[in-house]
């Protein structure tokens, strides 16, 4: 495994399109001739527009064929962007309760006051699902929605910080309170606001199109440009295929430091208001228009004005 690749004709990733593009992704299986490689993903419209995006895990030594076409034989000019994201493996994070900078177990009815929804309000919230017993968790669904910490996390005066989170890919077993994000453009991005207070950088991408119901209990050491007093976190779902489909669930989010903190240095963690779990979403704020920037991407867009059916070849 050598990371995650994103191919796109969307301006969000450095691509461009003058028509309604369609992407196909093929992988060399070591058996079939190039023109007959198995199709592993395809995408028509992304982010509510006529551009196309596919994100997929790559394997060292594998070869991929990217075909750019058009919906219903549409043709035109396009620029295909290739972005690779390979975060370093997360080292273990061990913190005590006296070193917590932020924490949330979502044991209440709505995301407020600790989190703000940016996008369509009913695409994020808190509910209780069978796999967590009586323990509520937060969710996003359907896509084009962001859940962002409402207040800044005071990380500017500590030498290091760890982020811990529980994430579960949805499963159809719990429909209509969950459903599997089953394609490569129904991903969940875990991101932080960097010290420039402008760019959101990727910590981890949880991919759609993999095992339904899979659970991730992750710990990440935050990079140096996350250690500032304006630190914020967000979870961003980039796509979905229907109103009650493509759910991601997350819980037990905390940011802590391994450094010893005197009681006077510890931030005040006001307890969240508790009430019976509900599927009601929290109040929405205006959508975020700032693009996401990956932690350490290598992007080299290629420009083409050839007919839209011309394939391009990529190696991991």
């Amino acid at each position: 495994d050598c990371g995650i690749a994103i191919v796109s004709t969307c301006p969000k990733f450095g691509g461009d399109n003058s028509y309604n593009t369609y992407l196909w992704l093929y992988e060399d299986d070591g058996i079939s001739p190039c023109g007959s490689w198995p199709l592993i993903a395809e995408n028509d419209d992304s982010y509510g527009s006529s551009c196309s995006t596919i994100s997929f895990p790559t394997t060292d030594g594998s070869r991929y064929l990217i075909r750019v076409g058009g919906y219903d034989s549409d043709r035109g000019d396009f620029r295909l962007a290739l972005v690779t994201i390979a975060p370093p493996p997360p080292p273990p994070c061990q913190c005590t309760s006296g070193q917590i900078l932020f924490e949330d177990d979502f044991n209440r009815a709505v995301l407020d006051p600790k989190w703000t929804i940016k996008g369509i309000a009913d695409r994020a919230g808190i509910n209780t699902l069978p796999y967590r017993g009586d323990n509520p968790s937060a969710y996003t669904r359907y896509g084009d929605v962001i859940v962002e910490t409402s207040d800044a996390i005071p990380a500017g005066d500590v030498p290091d910080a760890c982020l811990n989170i529980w994430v579960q890919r949805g499963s159809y077993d719990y429909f209509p309170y969950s459903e599997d994000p089953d394609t490569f453009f129904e991903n969940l991005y875990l991101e932080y606001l960097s010290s420039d207070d402008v760019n959101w950088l990727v910590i981890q991408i949880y991919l759609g199109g993999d095992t339904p119901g899979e659970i991730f209990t992750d710990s990440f050491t935050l990079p140096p440009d996350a250690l500032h007093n304006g630190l914020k976190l967000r979870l961003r779902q980039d796509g979905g295929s229907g109103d009650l489909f493509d759910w991601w669930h997350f819980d037990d989010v905390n940011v802590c430091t391994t450094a010893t903190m005197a009681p006077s240095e510890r931030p005040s963690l006001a307890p969240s208001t508790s009430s019976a779990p509900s599927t009601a979403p929290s109040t929405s704020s205006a959508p975020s228009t700032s693009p996401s920037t990956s932690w350490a991407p290598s992007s080299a867009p290629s420009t083409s004005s050839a007919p839209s059916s011309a394939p391009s070849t990529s190696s991991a």
Side-chain angles (χ1 to χ4, degrees), residues 10-11 20 44-52:
C10 295
N20 191 347
D44 179 13
D45 296 334
S46 292
Y47 307 104
S49 69
S50 61
C51 63
S52 309

Side-chain angles (χ1 to χ4, degrees), residues 93-109:
C93 291
Q94 299 293 330
C95 303
T96 67
S97 60
Q99 299 165 301
I100 300 296
L101 304 176
F102 172 86
E103 63 182 349
D104 197 354
D105 61 6
F106 301 98
N107 189 24
R108 57 186 184 279

Side-chain angles (χ1 to χ4, degrees), residues 199-221:
N199 290 309
W200 288 89
L201 307 183
V202 174
I203 300 171
Q204 181 69 296
I205 302 177
Y206 297 96
L207 292 177
D210 213 328
T211 307
E214 184 176 3
I215 292 174
F216 307 87
T217 303
D218 286 337
S219 296
F220 306 96
T221 296

Side-chain angles (χ1 to χ4, degrees), residues 87-95 159-164 192 202-203 218-227 255-258 295:
C93 291
Q94 299 293 330
C95 303
D160 57 50
C162 301
L163 167 62
N164 301 287
Y192 72 93
V202 174
I203 300 171
D218 286 337
S219 296
F220 306 96
T221 296
L222 293 177
D225 67 343
L227 302 182
V255 178
C256 60
T257 178
T258 61
W295 186 336

